[in-house]
Every structure is written in structure tokens, then in C-alpha cells.
Amino acid sequence: MSRSVILRTAALLIASNTFMTIAWYGHLKYLHNRPWYLAALISWSIALFEYLLQVPANRIGFTEMSLPQLKVLQEVITLLVFAPFALLVMGQTLR
């Protein structure tokens, strides 16, 4: 398995997950006093960038990784991105 493919895939997935986490949870802190439909619209706009990174990441990764390998990589990255976001941005504790 090519290290280059894994690194490019991981880099794109990290960026994608950063947008995803902001889109899914950022509105809870920054748009909590706005109507839900405005939060949804802004979140969908942010999520567009997630998909613009996620699709190429999966296509690149799938050239040398199996679908289960891609999914495990995705989930590990999701936790690595979410934990600092929850702690630093949302002020949550991990229990």
C-alpha cells in the first residue's frame, strides 16, 4: 500500500472532518439564538466543503484500500478531530 495514497487520503479526510464537525456542531454554540432553518442553511453550506474533500479522499483511498479500511480510517479521524473540537471550541469535557 502506497504511503502517498494513505497520507493524501488522511489529509483530505482530516480537512473534511473539520468542516463536518463545524457544520454538525458549531451551530450549537454560534447560532443557538438563531432560527433552526438559518442554522441548517449555514450548516449545509459548510457541509458542501466537507463533501468536496470527502469524495476525492475516498476515491484516492479506494485505489489502494478496501472499503472497510477506508471506513476505519474515517472513524479514527472523526474522533481525532471531534475530541479537540469538543474540548477547545465547545468547552466540553470528555468522560
Side-chain angles (χ1 to χ4, degrees):
M1 196 175 319
S2 166
R3 182 175 288 216
S4 172
V5 167
I6 294 171
L7 291 176
R8 287 188 326 199
T9 301
L12 286 168
L13 288 174
I14 290 167
S16 170
N17 271 272
T18 300
F19 281 109
M20 175 192 74
T21 302
I22 292 167
W24 283 16
Y25 302 108
H27 65 89
L28 297 174
K29 180 173 185 175
Y30 298 109
L31 299 172
H32 66 277
N33 58 347
R34 304 285 186 184
W36 72 265
Y37 53 85
L38 181 61
L41 185 62
I42 291 170
S43 292
W44 290 340
S45 299
I46 295 168
L48 171 64
F49 294 101
E50 172 203 351
Y51 283 100
L52 291 174
L53 297 166
Q54 179 80 14
V55 170
N58 285 332
R59 287 179 170 236
I60 291 167
F62 196 61
T63 63
E64 296 195 25
M65 288 185 261
S66 68
L67 190 60
Q69 287 172 321
L70 273 172
K71 183 60 178 171
V72 168
L73 180 61
Q74 166 69 33
E75 293 302 328
V76 168
I77 289 171
T78 296
L79 291 172
L80 291 174
V81 169
F82 179 78
F85 177 85
L87 290 167
L88 301 173
V89 175
M90 299 298 289
Q92 300 289 304
T93 58
L94 300 178
R95 307 180 240 162

